[in-house]
Amino acid sequence: MATKPEKVEAVDTICALSTALGRSALAVIRLSGPGSLFVLQKMTGRKEFHPRRATYEVLRDRDDSVLDEAVVTYYPAPNSFTGEDMVEISCHGNPIIVEGILNEIVSRETRLAEPGEFSQRAFVNGKLGLQQLESLDWILNSRSPAGFRRGLRAKLEGLGAPLKEIEAGLMEVLGDIQSQLDFPEYEVGRFDKTKLISGLRSFKTKLEASLGSYTRALRTFNSWKVVIIGPPNSGKSSLFNRLLGYQRSIVFNQAGTTRDLVEDYLSFEAMDLVLVDTAGIREANEAIEALGIEKTLASLKEANVICWLTDTGVAPPGKLMELHADKNWLVISSKQDSGAPFLEGSLGVSAHTGEGLDDLRKLLKPLDQAEKSDELGICSERQRVHLEAAIAHLEKAAADIESDVYLEIAAESLGLAKKELELILGEIPNDDIIRSILSRFCIGK
Ligand SMILES: Nc1nc2c(ncn2[C@@H]2O[C@H](COP(=O)(O)OP(=O)(O)OP(=O)(O)O)[C@@H](O)[C@H]2O)c(=O)[nH]1
Ligand SMILES: [Mg+2]
């Protein structure tokens, strides 16, 4: 059953900037540990703080010099994110101010937190479950709304309900098998083999659907890579620049201008795409151009979307499409303002006038598939491994039931499948798992 992590008294107080480092209106600094309130009292000169009530304060160092004005909140243990005494300071978002405040805090028996240390303390104090800890990675680091929603849903709703439903179904099947094993004569007629097998296969299908949706979601967790390829001079760099909104690549009326891969981020509708401009594909005239074309072709392995751009109505080479049949292909006819040929079935655009670019942006939008509400929205490789193992055990159990003689073995496989599902919820966490999850967190989280 669930083993709650033991509560461990924190021996020290940690602090960190919890917002991104850089210039902004506000920056949030957090402290966690037994000395948090003491540091706050010293820096504000105020003795009493009402729990969880934000107050305006002027922060000073030990020489009484003003560090900044800030809004501070004190969260006494155990009602805080980490379960320890915590303080949150919202100061002005200038890195110089942030550094001054952090220096003052660490001079008062507080140290800078390690990456993920706040979350680790929350986990140790039972404030966050393992699976919630994993969902934070998706909430904080996803590059698409779909990924972020997956993380948020896993954190708010947990995987418990859909998993428990499957587990309950497995228990029922196990019960039927046990009765058949214990009272074979009595249960004759009631043991419906076909029904059991189809029940198991339907659980398996459900789990496979979750696995599929996780694989798709993974592709949107990281930035979606869109690679623009095509013959030389077809207008790839012009389109690339137009989408980015500035002159990132050199544009020139001569075939073979772009030699290297040119990459940049393109943000729209809260998504980050990596857009890649490439060397035009043709029989190269020079060795250096051949190297560029080699790079173009190699870059396709990493692509999520391949845009084939043509200004002569030429379709993408069949061999290339075959080689990358697993990618999303977009065929685009360029230079439509100048009467360039339009390839049937393609999208017509003009980098000069902007024609067709809104449609192109819509097509570039990463797969943003909504999950079904009863779907098991797993969000870590650890969970995926257990899900795959559960699927394998279920398939084995179904096969064993099919060949009657192996009912005991089928029961064993079902037990193993159930155990794997329990492991997804992190009911038996170990230190290595926690360490590997936290290693993906940044300082201040
Ligand atoms: N009329 C018109 N000309 C365009 C358009 N897009 C590009 N061009 C012109 O086509 C020529 C080649 O443009 P590039 O963007 O450098 O083409 P490219 O495909 O990157 O070429 P390589 O890097 O050599 O493979 C330039 O003279 C551009 O001004 C367009 O939408 N309309
Ligand atoms: Mg170019």
Side-chain angles (χ1 to χ4, degrees), residues 15-36:
C15 69
L17 173 68
S18 286
T19 42
L21 188 62
R23 249 159 260 280
S24 54
L26 291 176
V28 177
I29 293 170
R30 293 196 296 183
L31 291 93
S32 182
S36 303

Side-chain angles (χ1 to χ4, degrees), residues 74 119 141 306 347:
Y74 169 50
S119 305
N141 299 323
I306 300 173
L347 173 75

Side-chain angles (χ1 to χ4, degrees), residues 148 301 316 438:
F148 150 74
K301 282 194 211 103
L438 292 170

